[in-house]
Amino acid sequence: MHEVVIDGGPLTREDVVAVARGGAAVTLGAAALDEVAKSRAHIERLAGAETPTYGVSTGFGALATRHIPTDRRAALQRSLIRSHAAGAGRPVEAEVVRALMLLRLRTLATGRTGVRPSTVETLAKLLNAGVVPVVPEYGSLGCSGDLAPLSAVALALMGEGEVTVDGRHTTAREALADKGIEPLVLAEKEGLALINGTDGMLGMLIMALADLRGLLDVADLTAAMSVEALLGTDRVFGDDLQRLRPHPGQARSAARMRELLDGSAIVESHRGPDCNRVQDAYSLRCAPQVHGAARDTVSYVETVADRELAAAIDNPVVLPDGRVESNGNFHGAPIAYPLDFLAIPVADVASMAERRTDRMLDATRSHGLPPFLADDPGVDSGHMIAQYTQAAIVADLKRLAVPASVDSIPSSAMQEDHVSMGWSAARKLRTAIDGLTTVLAVELLTAARALDLRAPLTPAPATARVVAALRERVPGPGSDRHLAPEIQAAEDLIRSGDLP
């Protein structure tokens, strides 16, 4: 299995996905632990000084001016975690929790947070043991970082709260005992270092990027199949036409659609002078422009994610010269904006797919296909209500495209008077990606049915393989079909990654 080495340097997006979704193990590099030990020495020196240092010998947030005596500092750190673990709602997905644990571990391993090496090692053990703290969905404002979600993780490190492990829900104390992990007793600065990060929203952003790369490939495929099924032309996807507007994403989507339609007897059947159609509808003709713009948005967001994967997010931070400085790097805006950006093309790509599906079902616009692609129109409603499902989801996606990051709700007695709402942006993006998957599954199912109805004309070899793969998963046509399982089968095929 892929192993991810935490050496204090940047991680890759692939590393995050491997740990979050693939269960990959993590290993701590010796150099990283040495750097952690050096910064911890600075914290211990400041802890004994008479001059207060924020997060080391003071309270937090609006209570930052209160000096905490030495004998109360362990209680301070423990109390910080307990009070901040105040989330509510259903637990977030295990992959989200594993991603935020990994990303917090990476920041701790930079040596810029002032934690002890033993704290870094305990978090790595928890991750490798498959212990997943229960993290409620609500509680983060994205500033100072994902406080409540990360506090739920820190609570588990202390042997408190609830976790899942080996498919079982249990207490953190029991899980740590079963795995031979000693619960942490937090020292100065450590509680703050464990929770003052943007790791949850970044983890969700990285997984969204991985999902969208695949889904945009699927959108090119379903669009090509719809063009073919609707007797559209492939000439508009020509490379010479795409070069007139040189966006890389557009060029990529157009090239994929050309390849997918290559060799189609259906497209060839209406290429001659007898075809009286001048232009296809926008949802067919402009697919590379829309899908390409989405691809370019993804590419931009990937640059942001890669920068964040090289960042050390904490407040205060321990600089290499030993200074402990407050800063604003915990603010989630650099991640929140891209999360919101992605929700826009997700909604638009889905909207265009729904329009192509509707066109295939309308006998007045489908160029010879039966109403709703029904086996026995009237007795059988065909894919009529599958398009309703698409439309309902697209309506939701438009609402989910409204940005969360333009909002701000002041907190902490106005000390935190501007927040990013990045966690909320990430949560709605995950919902939107699920919606896009379903919308594309319906188009895939509908286009495959339409291509079957074009027989004896044969589709392109690439799309024919897709139709065959889908046919293995769903029953043949008929008035007694249950379309919900078929849509689920199409979603499963999309998620399998086996499509061209």
Side-chain angles (χ1 to χ4, degrees):
M1 181 181 289
H2 181 71
E3 185 176 75
V4 173
V5 177
I6 309 295
D7 59 7
L11 292 176
T12 66
R13 285 175 272 120
E14 291 75 18
D15 289 334
V16 176
V17 174
V19 172
R21 289 180 170 169
V26 298
T27 300
L28 293 168
L33 290 173
D34 286 345
E35 191 64 29
V36 170
K38 289 177 185 176
S39 70
R40 182 63 198 177
H42 294 306
I43 292 297
E44 290 178 353
R45 174 177 54 81
L46 291 169
E50 292 185 6
T51 304
T53 301
Y54 175 67
V56 177
S57 54
T58 72
F60 308 110
L63 303 175
T65 58
R66 181 180 175 186
H67 184 266
I68 307 298
T70 303
D71 63 352
R72 296 295 294 155
R73 290 177 189 168
L76 168 69
Q77 301 299 320
R78 183 174 62 248
S79 176
L80 173 74
I81 300 305
R82 287 175 174 172
S83 66
H84 282 47
R90 63 182 183 180
V92 301
E93 303 80 10
E95 66 179 21
V96 172
V97 180
R98 286 184 59 81
L100 74 86
M101 291 170 70
L102 171 69
L103 292 168
R104 197 73 217 135
L105 177 63
R106 195 211 71 82
T107 285
L108 298 178
T110 64
R112 303 281 68 83
T113 70
V115 300
R116 296 166 298 170
S118 59
T119 299
V120 180
E121 291 168 337
T122 302
L123 181 53
K125 289 176 183 177
L126 205 69
L127 199 53
N128 285 338
V131 177
V132 180
V134 174
V135 175
E137 183 170 19
Y138 297 107
S140 175
L141 299 178
C143 186
S144 301
D146 295 318
L147 290 174
L150 284 163
S151 293
V153 173
L155 201 65
L157 288 171
M158 293 162 49
E160 300 182 19
E162 298 178 324
V163 301
T164 59
V165 58
D166 302 327
R168 183 171 58 93
H169 188 100
T170 185
T171 65
R173 184 169 298 281
E174 181 182 336
L176 266 60
D178 287 347
K179 298 293 183 180
I181 301 172
E182 189 70 23
L184 279 176
V185 177
L186 301 179
E188 294 95 343
K189 177 66 172 67
E190 292 192 315
L192 202 57
L194 284 168
I195 67 175
N196 209 332
T198 53
D199 309 291
M201 62 183 91
L202 177 58
M204 287 186 275
L205 177 67
I206 290 166
M207 288 185 286
L209 288 168
D211 292 336
L212 281 174
R213 278 291 183 189
L215 286 174
L216 291 175
D217 281 348
V218 173
D220 292 338
L221 167 64
T222 59
M225 292 173 68
S226 294
V227 167
E228 196 173 20
L230 287 165
L231 305 183
T233 180
D234 60 351
R235 292 177 59 185
V236 294
F237 310 133
D239 183 58
D240 52 351
L241 294 173
Q242 307 310 312
R243 286 198 304 269
L244 297 175
R245 198 180 194 186
H247 292 290
Q250 177 178 325
R252 169 69 176 155
S253 285
R256 278 183 47 77
M257 293 183 70
R258 288 197 306 272
E259 293 165 6
L260 290 163
L261 292 171
D262 186 47
S264 170
I266 297 175
V267 172
E268 194 63 34
S269 70
H270 57 91
R271 201 186 293 279
D274 293 336
C275 181
N276 61 0
R277 295 170 58 197
V278 178
Q279 293 182 334
D280 291 327
Y282 286 8
S283 60
L284 307 178
R285 191 183 354 151
C286 303
Q289 285 72 21
V290 172
H291 297 179
R295 287 182 181 278
D296 291 341
T297 304
V298 167
S299 294
Y300 162 69
V301 173
E302 285 174 340
T303 66
V304 174
D306 291 343
R307 291 173 192 146
E308 289 289 320
L309 285 169
I313 306 298
D314 195 14
N315 181 54
V317 292
V318 184
L319 297 172
D321 62 5
R323 286 180 296 128
V324 177
E325 296 282 0
S326 291
N327 66 93
N329 285 336
F330 53 76
H331 200 287
I335 306 172
Y337 295 164
L339 285 161
D340 279 334
F341 296 164
L342 289 176
I344 295 171
V346 165
D348 204 34
V349 169
S351 178
M352 182 175 256
E354 182 274 330
R355 289 293 79 207
R356 290 189 296 262
T357 302
D358 180 68
R359 188 167 287 270
M360 284 184 280
L361 302 181
D362 185 351
T364 65
R365 295 179 291 150
S366 66
H367 306 287
L369 295 172
F372 304 107
L373 307 186
D375 184 56
D376 185 2
V379 173
D380 177 7
S381 295
H383 287 214
M384 178 194 293
I385 306 304
Q387 183 267 331
Y388 282 37
T389 297
Q390 274 189 320
I393 292 171
V394 168
D396 272 347
L397 293 181
K398 292 173 183 178
R399 288 188 285 271
L400 291 168
V402 175
S405 57
V406 297
D407 192 13
S408 178
I409 299 178
S411 56
S412 192
M414 291 299 287
Q415 175 72 4
E416 298 171 9
D417 59 352
H418 185 276
V419 298
S420 77
M421 304 305 297
W423 176 275
S424 298
R427 296 305 296 167
K428 71 182 182 65
L429 179 60
R430 285 177 68 84
T431 302
I433 287 172
D434 286 343
L436 175 59
T437 303
T438 302
V439 169
L440 292 176
V442 173
E443 184 182 18
L444 181 68
L445 196 66
T446 303
R449 168 72 173 147
L451 290 175
D452 274 343
L453 291 168
R454 292 296 183 190
L457 293 173
T458 55
T463 57
R465 288 196 302 273
V466 175
V467 173
L470 194 58
R471 193 178 292 120
E472 291 178 0
R473 294 172 178 250
V474 301
S479 59
D480 59 347
R481 296 167 67 200
H482 296 277
L483 272 176
E486 296 190 17
I487 294 170
Q488 181 64 60
E491 289 182 7
D492 292 343
L493 183 59
I494 287 170
R495 292 191 178 100
S496 72
D498 293 334
L499 296 173

